[in-house]
Amino acid sequence: MDFKKSVRYAEKLDRLAKGLREETGYYETLSFWEGEAASVWSGKALALEKEIETGAEELEYAADSLRRAAERIYDAEMHAYNLARERRYYE
């Protein structure tokens, strides 16, 4: 596993999650809607915003999982490398 590439990809997932959160705009649209249409729009926009938030959370979870897995694999590879380097077959 390429540790640096994995960390970069996890950072990309974090940026995507942040971008999703920034693009919801639910509260901004409420200011210009009035009447019956406002309540219909409000309900649909809130439901969509919850779905987007769930997607952002899932992206962050995936990023954290990827980072943890990459770190565990990196640590195991370094441990194996150090053991092999210190091993003496013929003395």
Side-chain angles (χ1 to χ4, degrees), residues 5-89:
K5 188 175 184 179
S6 299
V7 170
R8 283 193 306 271
Y9 190 71
E11 290 169 353
K12 183 177 182 177
L13 291 175
D14 283 333
R15 286 191 303 275
L16 286 171
K18 183 179 178 185
L20 280 175
R21 286 194 171 101
E22 290 173 352
E23 295 299 322
T24 56
Y26 166 71
Y27 297 105
E28 294 170 14
T29 59
L30 289 181
S31 64
F32 59 83
W33 283 91
E34 294 179 3
E36 192 176 318
S39 63
V40 173
W41 171 255
S42 167
K44 290 184 178 195
L46 185 58
L48 179 59
E49 187 171 305
K50 286 181 181 181
E51 286 183 40
I52 291 171
E53 179 63 29
T54 299
E57 288 173 359
E58 290 173 357
L59 284 172
E60 289 172 339
Y61 180 79
D64 288 340
S65 296
L66 180 57
R67 269 191 288 273
R68 284 192 310 270
E71 188 174 331
R72 282 194 306 270
I73 291 169
Y74 175 80
D75 289 345
E77 287 176 351
M78 291 308 295
H79 180 71
Y81 170 77
N82 287 330
L83 285 176
R85 197 179 66 190
E86 293 171 2
R87 183 168 289 151
R88 296 179 187 181
Y89 293 99

